[in-house]
Amino acid sequence: MKRQVIAYLHTHWDREWYREFEVFRLRLLRVFDNILNMLETNQIPCFYFDGQTSALEDYLEIRPEKEALVRSLIYSKKLYIGPFYCLVDEFLTDKTCFSKNLELGMKRAIELGCTDFIGYLPDTFGHSQNVVEILREFGMDKCIVWRGCGDFPAEFKWCGMDTVNLVRGYFQNVFSLNCDIEQKAEILKKELDKIAEKSGEYILYPIGGDHLGVEKDIYDQILAVNEILKEDYEIKLSSPFEYFQLVADRFEQFEYNDELRDNSKTFTLQGCYSSRLDLKRLNIECSHKLNLASRFVRFCNAEEKYESVLDYAYKMLIQNQAHDSICGCSIDDVHSENTLRYKKILQITNTIISELKFENHLDENSFL
């Protein structure tokens, strides 16, 4: 049976990892400048920007003149952003921070005109079942995962939510390889065959990878590959949203109601939970202090004065909760910057609490 392949163009953007944030941001400028140009000139139909608004925020901080173009592309459903502010590790954060992550991400995405959201979690090191409940609280009814799934089909119900398992992962960058089209078609067929084993009539295929852009001749490459693979597959550039519509009847065929932490098919890198424990301790301290400061602000009816400051501090905390940061698997300079952010968060929270205590003659126990 010939399968229809719904392919979506994307990039997975770690703000920092094996290089520092500012080094990766310079690469982000090059990558996203090109993507915006390709979208504006209709060289590609749409682009999925990794489910997080932090990368777009980092881009627009340097390229503020591009915001009008970004808004128009989002409005015309060529550029999909959010719902998260940053893709964080699900087992090293708490519900308050995870919810704040979605609150900040969706607020910015909606401000820019985005209305379509998926709980996009392609590279998180395993998944907590509690995530589904939080996604529902923010109005989402669909999710995409990868790491932590066992021998699962491509579509399943996870704790009652329609969920897609990226069978072969998100980093399918065959079209970026330095080889001829016949070799690319051969590699691609092997990958699609493996995904097809877990899929029905339609196959979801991500085109992209870590810090990668879109090949300028992507359309021509796809046409050439389609000709070679025409007996088995036809690739169509689209979005994950179309795929969810096409496979709506398949989610009921398999149901799973527990955490996704299987390490047999995809590495969940659980050794990261015991690395760089100084970061873990600072993360817990900052999470507690931010929650305390937020409650103190509400108790004193001081939201107008401190809301934007708290959001600023929460953004720094959430940036540190990205899996390559909080998991302690980045280079030393990255984790030095993480530590500095944590110290700034403590400076902010301690100052807010001290100011409110002085102004209102209170102590921390007054509102508990």
Side-chain angles (χ1 to χ4, degrees), residues 13 36 56 65 68 70 77 92 120 141 149 157 188 203 210 236 247 252 277 295 301 311 355 359:
W13 207 267
L36 289 179
L56 181 58
E65 71 278 5
V70 166
K77 297 189 183 299
L92 290 170
Y120 192 68
D141 60 359
C149 293
K157 283 280 187 183
L188 189 56
I203 293 173
D210 292 346
K236 173 189 175 184
V247 299
E252 302 290 346
L277 291 177
R295 292 163 63 194
N301 295 316
D311 283 352
E355 287 181 355
E359 292 171 3

Side-chain angles (χ1 to χ4, degrees), residues 124-188:
T124 308
F125 299 164
H127 305 283
S128 167
Q129 67 192 89
N130 297 316
V131 163
V132 175
E133 177 186 347
I134 301 173
L135 292 175
R136 287 199 184 97
E137 290 175 3
F138 283 84
M140 273 169 279
D141 60 359
K142 55 181 69 71
C143 187
I144 291 180
V145 297
W146 171 46
R147 295 186 192 271
C149 293
D151 195 23
F152 284 14
E155 305 89 16
F156 66 104
K157 283 280 187 183
W158 180 33
C159 299
M161 180 169 287
D162 291 354
T163 302
V164 169
N165 165 30
L166 295 178
V167 177
R168 298 295 294 169
Y170 67 86
F171 43 79
Q172 299 298 317
N173 59 342
V174 174
F175 294 101
S176 300
L177 297 178
N178 185 22
C179 59
D180 61 41
I181 201 66
E182 287 77 15
Q183 290 175 296
K184 291 181 181 182
E186 181 181 355
I187 296 169
L188 189 56

